[in-house]
Amino acid sequence: MNILRHDMGPRFSEMVVVDLGTARLLYLSGQVAENPSLDITGQMREVLRHIDRLLAMQGASKKDLVSATIYLRTVGDYAAMNSVWDEWVPAGHTPARATVGAKLIDSEYRVEIQVTAAIGTTP
């Protein structure tokens, strides 16, 4: 087993990859928008672009997601969040998902998303 950390900081890494020999598990930390002044749909699109970028670093895509946890500042954003999510997630590849109303660390953030993906090793 091998563990690789990407964009490691003093408190967390943006992504941790666990190489299990025949498969890799990709654990992404909670992703938030770079521009917290955006509305929920704008923040969702930014967050999903971050997730796409991190997954691509390991040759993965949103089709490889196995789970997602979405934290919303207000449950009133649930329908708008789902409309962006539904456009992004590929049909037939939806991960297990939980959505939670939560007080986020910065009051400007409307959404934070944490995902896990699984892929085969590169031959």
Side-chain angles (χ1 to χ4, degrees):
M1 179 174 73
N2 220 3
I3 299 173
L4 176 65
R5 291 169 173 80
H6 291 273
D7 299 328
M8 186 172 36
R11 291 197 178 106
F12 65 91
S13 298
E14 287 295 327
M15 178 172 55
V16 175
V17 179
V18 180
D19 184 342
L20 299 172
T22 60
R24 286 180 287 157
L25 298 176
L26 287 61
Y27 298 92
L28 278 64
S29 63
Q31 300 297 307
V32 295
E34 288 183 20
N35 182 357
S37 68
L38 296 171
D39 66 5
I40 184 62
T41 58
Q43 286 195 27
M44 275 294 292
R45 287 187 178 99
E46 271 199 6
V47 169
L48 296 174
R49 278 194 300 270
H50 293 315
I51 291 170
D52 284 335
R53 179 185 59 80
L54 287 166
L55 292 172
M57 289 173 62
Q58 286 295 310
S61 75
K62 55 193 167 193
K63 289 183 177 181
D64 299 306
L65 293 180
V66 294
S67 72
T69 304
I70 300 173
Y71 302 94
L72 289 175
R73 183 179 79 188
T74 175
V75 294
D77 285 340
Y78 186 72
M81 176 277 298
N82 269 329
S83 70
V84 176
W85 176 266
D86 292 344
E87 291 173 5
W88 178 78
V89 72
H93 296 278
T94 54
R97 191 184 98 172
T99 304
V100 179
K103 182 175 181 177
L104 301 178
I105 199 68
D106 184 319
S107 63
E108 288 188 278
Y109 293 137
R110 301 189 69 85
V111 63
E112 181 172 346
I113 303 176
Q114 181 179 17
V115 300
T116 303
I119 56 175
T121 56
T122 307

